[in-house]
Amino acid sequence: MLPFLVGTNWKMNKTMQESRSYLDSFLRLARRYSRGGHARFFVIPPHTHLQAAGELLAGEPVLLGAQNAHWMDFGPYTGEISPVWLKELGVNIIELGHSERRQYYGENDFDLNLKVKAAQRHNLISLLCIGENAREKACGVTEEVLRYQLKAALHEITPAPDSIWVAYEPVWAIGEGGVPADPDYVAWVHARIARCLQELLGGIAERTPILYGGSVSPENCAELSGLEHVNGLFIGRSAWDLTAFTALLSHLEHAGVLSDSYRK
Ligand code: PGA
């Protein structure tokens, strides 16, 4: 049984001061809802906020993630972030391949493969984001796109247990203009991802959580979390707003996702 994952990437939001008070509240909620050991929380602040966040979260039931890292430890890579430094700051997770990084910064599946290898080398969890765009969905090539992304990013990886998390984030469902995905569609896609992971990772696949992300809200979280191969939610806007996040967690609790009755 995998604990249910609940986490958020802040993207390029929040000042240091906002970050501190947000984390205090997030931590209070995480302590409360992870008590039974059925849920695992994580936050992914901007790089400049990681040191303060690492100090605050040390020993707490919240894993800390970074939004990107280079695949090399050191070298002539101006402006880049070394996984060694992230380790020093107490980071547990590296988010890789978010669609905004793919779209605006040309992050590709082959670079992601190098980054997953770097994460493995440093005992960091790779939170690998995959997803089709609207055009690919319309052309009916979602499964092919996701298989391509997974096969390239996980090429020649023999992962340690709990070192790869996959987030399915359909590009058309993310952010302000995003359209929330239909739960039937999410169920279908997650089953395909699970099958592909089985093929690529063998036995480790059963212990590789698949999160869903893209316009997750208090309204749709319970239904999404109940789907068979959905092992967590990766939340943007609805987690940044603490009122919405509190409501979302209470919906998950009522749906039994954060309690003893949760089995998946
Ligand atoms: P959203 O963001 O929940 O605001 O759609 C999700 C994401 O980009 O991971």
Side-chain angles (χ1 to χ4, degrees):
M1 200 184 104
L2 295 170
F4 196 79
L5 298 169
V6 180
T8 178
N9 152 30
W10 300 356
K11 308 190 180 181
M12 198 172 76
N13 292 301
K14 297 194 192 299
T15 62
M16 290 286 278
Q17 206 177 343
E18 287 164 352
S19 140
R20 161 71 59 164
S21 68
Y22 176 86
L23 277 177
D24 283 340
S25 307
F26 188 95
L27 188 51
R28 253 197 310 278
L29 290 165
R31 282 194 192 122
R32 171 170 166 207
Y33 286 108
S34 57
R35 220 173 278 143
H38 305 285
R40 226 170 155 196
F41 286 80
F42 64 96
V43 279
I44 311 187
H47 284 121
T48 46
H49 300 18
L50 285 173
Q51 177 153 13
E55 283 163 13
L56 189 79
L57 298 178
E60 295 289 351
V62 176
L63 295 174
L64 181 63
Q67 296 178 17
N68 185 28
H70 201 271
W71 59 82
M72 296 294 284
D73 290 353
F74 299 106
Y77 305 103
T78 303
E80 281 293 334
I81 301 285
S82 163
V84 175
W85 305 336
L86 297 176
K87 242 351 232 196
E88 286 176 335
L89 294 177
V91 165
N92 314 101
I93 303 165
I94 303 187
E95 179 178 1
L96 297 173
H98 189 280
S99 70
E100 288 151 15
R101 293 214 49 88
R102 291 177 189 262
Q103 186 182 345
Y104 303 127
Y105 309 108
E107 188 143 276
N108 67 60
D109 298 299
F110 305 103
D111 291 350
L112 290 172
N113 180 238
L114 297 175
K115 293 184 179 196
V116 174
K117 286 178 178 153
Q120 292 283 314
R121 212 166 56 233
H122 291 289
N123 283 324
L124 289 157
I125 296 169
S126 299
L127 172 49
L128 177 64
C129 302
I130 58 171
E132 83 285 11
N133 64 31
R135 205 151 177 203
E136 290 160 341
K137 179 173 187 271
C139 292
V141 294
T142 296
E143 192 172 352
E144 288 82 351
V145 169
L146 299 178
R147 271 183 72 77
Y148 181 96
Q149 292 176 342
L150 285 172
K151 279 187 84 168
L154 299 177
H155 180 62
E156 290 182 336
I157 306 276
T158 312
D162 197 36
S163 68
I164 308 274
W165 298 355
V166 173
Y168 170 55
E169 299 213 308
V171 180
W172 44 269
I174 291 174
E176 287 298 337
V179 183
D182 183 73
D184 288 343
Y185 184 75
V186 175
W188 177 80
V189 174
H190 275 239
R192 294 295 175 291
I193 294 171
R195 201 162 66 186
C196 184
L197 289 174
Q198 182 71 45
E199 204 182 292
L200 299 175
L201 304 179
I204 293 284
E206 266 133 60
R207 297 169 56 199
T208 302
I210 310 171
L211 298 87
Y212 172 77
S215 293
V216 173
S217 68
E219 289 71 42
N220 63 17
C221 66
E223 191 171 2
L224 289 167
S225 64
L227 302 173
E228 191 184 345
H229 292 287
V230 174
N231 310 111
L233 296 175
F234 195 17
I235 312 161
R237 291 155 298 153
S238 292
W240 307 337
D241 170 354
L242 283 162
T243 310
F245 192 49
T246 306
L248 188 150
L249 291 173
S250 135
H251 285 297
L252 289 184
E253 184 182 36
H254 285 117
V257 177
L258 308 175
S259 66
D260 282 343
S261 57
Y262 176 67
R263 292 272 173 278
K264 210 183 270 180

